[in-house]
Structure formats: C-alpha cells, structure tokens
C-alpha cells in the first residue's frame, strides 16, 4: 500500500494534539511514547500543550507520571503504569556511552552499585551526595573515586551506573529538595516486575509505530539508540507500506490513514517528542528548515514552529516577571489566518507558564541548545 506524506502528518498530528491524544498528562505522555524532560520546563510544557486546560503545575502534580532515564539515556517523563515495559526494553539494550578504560566499571562493579542504589533508595529520597555515601558504604571507597569528567572537576565513579539503575527499575527522580535534585526508588510508588525483554521490545516498537509510524528499523534504532541489526527482527511480520518510494512499517492493525490534511499552527518547545521521534527528517524539516531548525540533522535543539504539521520556523521565549516574550522566526510567510492561529498558540503557551504573552515576528538570534 502506498501512502502520502500528507496522510502521515495528519495521523501523527491527530494522535499527538487532537482528540485521539490525551485527556490527562499520562495519556499525553503515552501518545508521545515518552516526553523528553532533560529540560524540566520544556518537558512539562510539551505535555501540557497536548491536554486541554493543563498547565505546567498540573503536569508536575500528576501522580501517574515518573521522571526517569528513558530512551537514548536521557531524562524522560514516563507513565508509571508503563514502567514494566520501559525497564524491560531499556535494560535489554547493549550498553552505550561507556567510559574509557581504566575508569570503566566492570560488570561485577555495575551489579554491586545497582544493588546498592536500589537498597539505599528503598526507604528514602536522597540527593546525589547522600546517595554517594550510601553507595560507598555498601560497595567500597573505589566507588567514590572522581573519574567521570564533569562541568566542574569529576564525578564519582559509581555515577556511571545511574542510568543502568534506572533501566533496571530501581532509580528514578524524586521530589526537588529546594534547588537540589533527589533520587528515589520507583517501587515505592508502585511495585512492579520488568517485562521480559522480547515482549517489552515488541510492545515498545508497537507504541513507537503508533506515535510515529510508518517507520523503518533504522529510524526506530536511531530513536532508541540501538543498532538496526538488533531491532530489525522485531519488524518481522509487521504490515508494510510505501512512503516516498521507501518501504516502511506500521503496527499490527494500524494501517489506516486519514483522508484529511493536517491544519493549524503549533509552537513546540526544546526536545518536543514530535520533532525528535518523527522521520524522515528531510520531509518533516523541508528545504531551509533542515539547516535552520536542526543541528546537523539532530532534532530538538531548537523550539519548532509547526505549520500544518511541518516545521516552518523556530522560536524563542524570554520570561520577564509575569511577562512571556515570544519571538517567532517564520521561514515562510504567514497569512492572516495563520497569524491569528499563532496568536492563539502564544496565548496558550503563556497560560501554561502562568504569564501574560507578548508575541513578535522576527529573527531568533539564540543558538542551538547544547
């Protein structure tokens, strides 16, 4: 079956932003297949933009979400109910981003530290310094050795295992303690067992294809930070379609595409899942949008202006007191209707952040987020 890019965009937009997407923050995050939250405010705005009447505070209060390390080893908001799938899938992936010898931890050391983290967080939320003391007490002084290059000096050796512990299901983010991040054990929120790896990876692929399909093994592997060779067997027996002259796959029973076209204007914050998860990049970021709105093909480094589901510019916000100043750099002219829709979107963004909006069309001079 051959499908058009317009039909793909219409389906993705409907599932992310319209009636199919969400009634609660948890529904929204599930429809996004995880919300990138390395920048906390951006992640919370991403979710709120998909839920009528939601704001940043309502996302923060949602007890159905957990902040932890998700795909690509980056901090995500994930539905608490889905942690069995996520931990089962992510813990099955080959280790990536390892430290060089001789500072790299051995498999036995990793096991020791992960067990120590789980025990230390079983009853308390701990800051990184407090967790360091507990891990060292349970494993030995070798875990304290400053070895991991950081912004100011070096981090303790045990911190190589933070995302491993999260993927094992024994670490997540806890409540902020003033300006300090704490870690917690998600089993304190709800006990669970990680799903078996094969079942978990199959389910995660189907979730991804629901949100971003049709897609190829190469695209899924890039999103998950795995290898195409590893994920390709999970595509066996899945329905195939033709998109832009290339074979792509969809989830079982999910091969219907709407006849309508995507319409509307959206302002998506840094690392919004729609831009990060959607492929092909050259179709989502057409023409000069590819150079202006990606960092050498990597999406997420710029907030995106979407027009009818396609990237059509970038934007930047600056908060001054209770005023939100939004500058939008459109790469194509905006007619009167789209300009009105942009005003509405800026108002929605300001309401999420509890500010009064100020919108300007002009050049964005701020560079890509590192």
């Amino acid at each position: 079956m051959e499908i058009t890019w317009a039909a793909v965009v219409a389906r993705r937009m409907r599932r992310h932003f319209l009636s199919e997407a969400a009634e609660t923050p948890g529904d929204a995050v599930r429809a996004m297949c995880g919300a990138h939250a390395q920048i906390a405010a951006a992640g919370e705005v991403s979710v709120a933009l998909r839920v009528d009447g939601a704001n940043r505070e309502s996302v923060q209060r949602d007890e159905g979400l957990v902040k932890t390390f998700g795909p690509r080893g980056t901090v995500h908001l994930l539905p608490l109910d889905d942690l069995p799938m996520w931990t089962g899938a992510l813990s099955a992936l080959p280790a990536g981003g390892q430290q060089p010898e001789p500072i790299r931890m051995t498999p036995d050391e990793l096991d020791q530290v992960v067990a120590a983290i789980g025990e230390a967080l079983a009853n308390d939320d701990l800051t990184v310094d407090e967790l360091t003391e507990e891990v060292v007490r349970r494993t030995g002084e070798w875990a304290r050795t400053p070895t991991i290059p950081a912004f100011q000096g070096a981090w303790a050796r045990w911190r190589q295992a933070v995302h491993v512990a999260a993927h094992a299901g024994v670490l997540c983010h806890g409540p902020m303690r003033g300006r300090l991040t704490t870690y917690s054990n998600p089993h304190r929120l709800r006990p669970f067992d990680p799903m078996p790896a094969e079942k978990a990876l199959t389910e995660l692929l189907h979730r991804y294809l629901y949100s971003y399909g049709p897609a190829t093994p190469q695209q899924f592997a890039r999103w998950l930070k795995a290898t195409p060779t590893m994920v390709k067997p999970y595509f066996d027996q899945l329905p195939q379609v033709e998109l832009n002259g290339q074979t792509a796959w969809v989830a079982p029973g999910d091969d219907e595409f709407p006849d309508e076209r995507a319409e509307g204007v959206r302002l998506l914050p840094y690392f919004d899942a729609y831009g990060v998860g959607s492929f092909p990049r050259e179709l989502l970021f057409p023409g000069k949008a590819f150079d202006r709105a990606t960092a050498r093909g990597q999406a997420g480094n710029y907030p995106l202006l979407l027009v009818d589901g396609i990237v059509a510019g970038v934007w930047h916000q600056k908060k001054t007191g209770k005023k939100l100043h939004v500058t939008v750099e459109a790469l194509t002219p905006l007619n009167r209707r789209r300009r009105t829709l942009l005003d509405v979107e800026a108002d929605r963004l300001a309401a999420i952040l509890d500010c009064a909006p100020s919108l300007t069309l002009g050049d964005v001079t701020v560079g890509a987020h590192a």
Side-chain angles (χ1 to χ4, degrees):
M1 178 175 67
E2 187 171 354
I3 57 175
T4 66
W5 175 240
V8 171
V9 171
R11 189 169 88 154
R12 290 179 187 173
M13 289 293 290
R14 186 172 67 184
R15 292 182 174 181
H16 271 254
F17 298 105
L18 302 179
S19 59
E20 289 189 22
E23 294 182 0
T24 68
D27 293 336
V29 172
R30 189 169 289 110
M32 299 161 73
C33 208
H36 191 292
Q38 197 81 35
I39 304 174
E44 292 151 3
V45 168
S46 281
V47 178
L49 284 169
R50 290 160 166 84
V51 184
D52 286 344
N55 58 24
R56 188 183 172 195
E57 287 72 25
S58 66
V59 175
Q60 292 171 334
R61 293 193 305 267
D62 193 292
E63 295 181 353
L65 296 177
V66 61
K67 187 175 180 181
T68 186
F69 291 84
R72 303 177 302 283
T74 54
V75 177
H76 275 66
L77 292 173
L78 301 175
L80 181 59
D81 288 344
D82 292 346
L83 278 187
M85 176 196 70
W86 281 105
T87 54
L90 296 174
S91 62
L93 299 180
Q98 293 185 335
Q99 297 294 325
E101 294 285 4
I103 66 175
R104 184 186 308 165
M105 292 169 60
T106 68
D108 179 65
E109 289 171 338
L110 277 173
D111 290 342
Q112 289 184 54
V113 170
V114 169
I117 290 172
E119 293 171 3
L121 297 175
N123 299 302
D124 294 298
D125 301 321
L126 302 177
T127 66
V128 68
D129 289 339
E130 293 167 345
L131 187 52
T132 295
E133 296 305 317
E134 291 298 320
V135 168
V136 169
R137 185 169 68 84
R138 288 169 169 82
T139 60
E141 281 294 327
W142 60 265
R144 191 196 303 275
T145 307
T147 56
I148 306 174
F151 296 109
Q152 296 178 346
W155 287 342
R157 192 160 180 251
W158 75 268
R159 291 182 66 175
Q160 298 174 50
V162 169
H163 76 281
V164 179
H167 293 172
V170 299
L171 177 144
C172 65
H173 281 246
M176 295 294 292
R177 191 185 299 172
R179 297 176 64 88
L180 295 177
T181 296
T182 70
Y183 292 111
S184 184
N185 189 320
H187 288 270
R188 290 165 52 201
L189 302 174
R190 186 178 304 161
F192 66 94
D193 292 318
M195 192 179 289
E198 294 290 313
K199 182 179 179 181
L201 284 166
T202 298
E203 177 66 20
L204 181 56
L205 170 59
H206 293 176
R207 298 279 191 95
Y208 172 80
L209 290 174
Y210 179 85
S211 298
Y212 304 103
T216 67
Q218 292 76 16
Q219 292 163 355
F220 178 60
R222 181 175 175 182
W223 173 81
L224 189 58
K225 200 173 183 182
T227 65
T229 300
M230 178 189 175
V231 303
K232 193 170 183 180
Y234 295 92
F235 283 75
D236 291 346
Q237 310 306 316
L238 291 182
Q240 298 181 14
V241 298
E242 292 292 321
L243 172 63
N244 201 38
Q246 182 181 29
T247 300
W249 285 258
V250 295
D254 192 39
D255 54 358
E256 292 187 6
F257 291 82
D259 293 331
E260 72 269 16
R261 296 177 63 88
E263 293 185 352
V265 174
R266 297 277 174 176
L267 294 174
L268 305 186
Y270 283 113
F271 299 105
D272 186 272
Y274 182 85
V276 174
S278 291
F279 296 92
R281 286 280 193 262
E282 66 274 11
L283 297 182
L284 184 66
F285 296 79
K288 53 188 176 182
F290 189 88
D291 291 329
R292 183 66 184 93
T294 73
R296 298 180 297 278
Q298 178 179 329
N301 297 78
Y302 292 94
L304 302 178
L305 166 68
L306 293 188
V307 174
D308 299 343
I310 302 297
V311 177
V314 297
W315 62 280
H316 180 70
Q317 70 177 48
K318 182 178 180 180
K319 190 175 179 183
T320 306
K322 296 291 287 185
K323 192 83 169 180
L324 186 72
H325 302 274
V326 178
T327 301
V328 176
E329 180 181 331
L331 300 176
T332 57
L334 300 178
N335 59 27
R336 181 177 298 178
R337 175 177 173 275
R338 288 173 174 168
R339 183 65 172 81
T340 299
L341 292 174
L342 180 59
D343 288 334
V344 172
E345 186 73 353
D347 290 347
R348 171 72 177 127
L349 183 68
I352 289 171
L353 296 173
D354 191 25
C355 294
S358 171
L359 176 64
T360 302
L361 289 176
D363 292 340
V364 171
T365 58
V366 177
H369 190 277

